[in-house]
Amino acid sequence: MEITRKAGVAARSRPPLSKGRLLSAAVALADEGGVDALSMRNIAQALGVVPMALYKHVANKNELLDGMIDVLMDEIDPPAADTDWKTTVRRRVLSARGMLLRHPWAPAVIESRTKARTAPTPAVMRYLDSMIGIFRAGGFPVQLVHHALHVMGSRLLGFSQELFEDRAGTGEPDPDAMPPEEMAARYPHITELAMAVAHDPESVVGSGCDDQFEFEFALDLTLDGLERLLGRT
Amino acid sequence: MEITRKAGVAARSRPPLSKGRLLSAAVALADEGGVDALSMRNIAQALGVVPMALYKHVANKNELLDGMIDVLMDEIDPPAADTDWKTTVRRRVLSARGMLLRHPWAPAVIESRTKARTAPTPAVMRYLDSMIGIFRAGGFPVQLVHHALHVMGSRLLGFSQELFEDRAGTGEPDPDAMPPEEMAARYPHITELAMAVAHDPESVVGSGCDDQFEFEFALDLTLDGLERLLGRT
DNA sequence: CACGGTAGGTGTACGGCGTACACCCGTCAA
DNA sequence: TTGACGGGTGTACGCCGTACACCTACCGTG
């Protein structure tokens, strides 16, 4: 009559808590609360389990973060094989960017984990390797690929460190916002730019700055620069 | 005969602990141990003071981090007034990079604090404002400046997210390093590139990759791209 | 069928963190 | 003389990651 109970009284008819379920729960929690709202304790709670249970599936929190990065990297589309290097790179980077827009906490985690290890996560390594492969297949000499990686920098991974987070559109009036006249007095050029961008009839998209357009603009400029370099060798 | 004692028995003849001293101590501690080795408790200890004493000078740890960023931004050279926009930007960015090389923990702090606030720290705002001013003075239309900022991305602040930290030269053999043949099998393109770079006779500088050169290469490529854009308007 | 090993969930406990709150003592103005 | 106040102190709370011992359901083997 009783539900098949296993491992103590608290655990009744619960899916068996694999590493996959753990990572998914962690990613979900990070998606909704940012990476700061991610503790072993509340991941465990979300899974209906005691904190220490997680340690049967990951060695420690860092390993969990590494696992989460793996999950994210799997969301990036594989390279298309039937086009030139430029559009292949372009598509792939934009796919990576799409992933990162879904998981805004990812850049910080990737960065911090990369610095804490001697090398990036294996998943990131695979991504970079295949990226280099695309350049090589496109005729880039190795040295030029090397430069290309440095030129593209973090854009290779789909983010380029937007300084002003796209916080417009949430509608919440910032309590300690600076009055416009003080703003203009203190940072005249920023203000001028903000005004101009806001009134640009082309970009009536919320924040007044079409991030997607800007990203592609920058990406194309760097790719064009690389192409010119390639043509010169 | 006794040293002028003030505020309890523990505090004897100690400089009066201003916000400046607090920030300096914090920056010094971060410089030598990374930003993780930075707790209110050990900053206090370094200053010979009880942890709660710090809160008489900063509201909380975040405010302290903001203050540290201010200190760092002050290390960046002011723009030179007597040259064209390109070299002015170039010099300034390289100066910023110099600062960041002295304080490797800075990018992460700047980034995280920027995301936690609605805008970057005032000091960073001033830097950006003056940077925009340089472009404007150089003849850039506002829209083009806007694009320029996006193109340069984090490079504007002197960092561009080097993925492989320059850990060579420390000489410590990494305990869990991958054997070369496995490396080559798993990441063929990365390996090829690493080999090529390592054997480049030009760059016999330790890591085999002259970071400074790469940084300037990328910077110049982007600046050239912008220049071509400017000439087209 | 008994039995021991093992995989996986549990409970307790420790040291470190940021910081709220009450306190206390020189200094200096009135 | 007094009283406000700036600045250092001490205690305590609730988080965090995680070491360690335990307990139990299961499974392969004798």
Side-chain angles (χ1 to χ4, degrees):
Chain A
M1 247 344 110
E2 189 160 31
I3 319 168
T4 66
R5 59 170 63 185
K6 33 186 164 182
V9 64
R12 32 173 58 83
S13 75
R14 196 205 309 133
L17 181 56
S18 63
K19 179 159 183 176
R21 273 180 31 85
L22 168 48
L23 292 179
S24 302
V27 168
L29 235 59
D31 283 347
E32 67 188 44
V35 73
D36 297 329
L38 196 70
S39 70
M40 299 305 265
R41 285 175 151 91
N42 61 14
I43 298 171
Q45 189 173 26
L47 289 166
V49 119
V50 91
M52 286 310 293
L54 309 185
Y55 288 86
K56 291 287 150 92
H57 302 271
V58 289
N60 49 46
K61 191 176 184 181
N62 283 338
E63 194 181 289
L64 181 140
L65 290 174
D66 289 347
M68 292 171 68
I69 296 177
D70 283 11
V71 170
L72 297 198
M73 295 304 284
D74 276 351
E75 291 184 17
I76 302 178
D77 291 337
D82 54 346
T83 39
D84 58 311
W85 69 269
K86 209 172 161 188
T87 68
T88 309
V89 169
R90 194 171 189 281
R91 278 193 204 153
R92 200 112 192 275
V93 168
L94 288 178
S95 171
R97 173 167 158 83
M99 175 273 281
L100 288 166
L101 290 178
R102 291 191 296 276
H103 312 288
W105 45 272
V109 173
I110 294 179
E111 196 185 353
S112 83
R113 288 306 300 144
T114 299
K115 282 189 178 151
R117 306 157 44 103
T118 55
T121 288
V124 175
M125 288 286 275
R126 276 196 301 277
Y127 176 77
L128 291 178
D129 191 70
S130 116
M131 218 48 145
I132 296 176
I134 296 171
F135 280 113
R136 294 289 284 129
F140 279 64
V142 200
Q143 293 298 343
L144 192 49
V145 178
H146 182 209
H147 292 160
L149 295 190
H150 278 272
V151 169
M152 303 209 47
S154 54
R155 196 119 48 208
L156 248 195
L157 274 165
F159 59 97
S160 74
Q161 207 102 15
E162 327 265 358
L163 274 188
F164 294 85
E165 191 68 9
D166 196 355
R167 214 178 298 276
T170 67
E172 14 172 285
D174 189 349
D176 43 49
M178 194 179 296
E181 54 277 13
E182 190 186 342
M183 184 77 182
R186 231 198 269 265
Y187 314 117
H189 300 108
I190 289 182
T191 308
E192 179 197 38
L193 193 150
M195 298 305 246
V197 169
H199 292 108
D200 184 5
E202 300 272 337
S203 60
V204 213
V205 252
S207 69
C209 159
D210 186 341
D211 276 341
Q212 185 69 25
F213 174 80
E214 290 297 335
F215 188 88
E216 300 195 13
F217 183 95
L219 178 57
D220 287 336
L221 192 85
T222 14
L223 287 178
D224 287 347
L226 293 176
E227 191 169 49
R228 226 175 347 258
L229 244 55
L230 177 60
R232 207 176 297 153
T233 47
Chain B
M1 245 339 111
E2 188 160 34
I3 320 167
T4 64
R5 60 170 61 187
K6 35 187 162 180
V9 64
R12 32 174 58 85
S13 75
R14 194 204 311 131
L17 182 55
S18 63
K19 180 160 182 175
R21 275 180 30 85
L22 168 50
L23 292 179
S24 302
V27 168
L29 236 60
D31 281 347
E32 67 189 43
V35 73
D36 297 330
L38 196 71
S39 71
M40 298 305 266
R41 285 174 150 92
N42 62 13
I43 297 170
Q45 190 173 25
L47 289 165
V49 117
V50 91
M52 286 311 292
L54 309 185
Y55 288 87
K56 291 285 151 87
H57 302 271
V58 290
N60 48 48
K61 191 177 184 181
N62 283 338
E63 194 182 289
L64 181 139
L65 290 173
D66 289 347
M68 294 170 67
I69 296 177
D70 283 10
V71 170
L72 298 198
M73 296 304 284
D74 277 351
E75 291 184 17
I76 302 178
D77 291 337
D82 54 346
T83 38
D84 59 311
W85 68 270
K86 209 172 162 188
T87 69
T88 309
V89 169
R90 194 170 189 281
R91 278 192 203 153
R92 200 110 193 277
V93 168
L94 288 179
S95 172
R97 174 168 158 83
M99 175 273 281
L100 288 166
L101 290 179
R102 291 191 295 277
H103 312 287
W105 45 272
V109 173
I110 294 178
E111 196 186 353
S112 83
R113 288 306 300 144
T114 299
K115 282 190 177 151
R117 305 159 43 103
T118 55
T121 287
V124 175
M125 288 287 274
R126 277 195 302 277
Y127 177 77
L128 291 178
D129 191 70
S130 114
M131 218 47 147
I132 296 176
I134 296 170
F135 280 114
R136 293 290 284 131
F140 279 64
V142 200
Q143 293 298 341
L144 191 50
V145 178
H146 182 209
H147 291 160
L149 295 189
H150 278 272
V151 169
M152 303 209 46
S154 55
R155 195 120 47 207
L156 248 195
L157 273 166
F159 58 97
S160 74
Q161 206 102 18
E162 328 264 358
L163 273 187
F164 294 84
E165 190 68 9
D166 198 354
R167 213 179 300 274
T170 67
E172 13 173 286
D174 188 350
D176 43 49
M178 194 178 295
E181 55 276 12
E182 190 186 342
M183 184 77 182
R186 230 197 270 265
Y187 314 117
H189 300 108
I190 290 182
T191 308
E192 179 196 39
L193 192 150
M195 298 305 246
V197 170
H199 292 106
D200 184 5
E202 300 272 340
S203 58
V204 213
V205 250
S207 69
C209 158
D210 186 342
D211 276 342
Q212 185 69 26
F213 173 81
E214 291 297 336
F215 188 88
E216 300 195 13
F217 183 94
L219 178 57
D220 287 336
L221 191 85
T222 8
L223 287 178
D224 286 347
L226 293 177
E227 191 169 49
R228 225 173 352 256
L229 244 53
L230 176 60
R232 206 177 297 154
T233 46

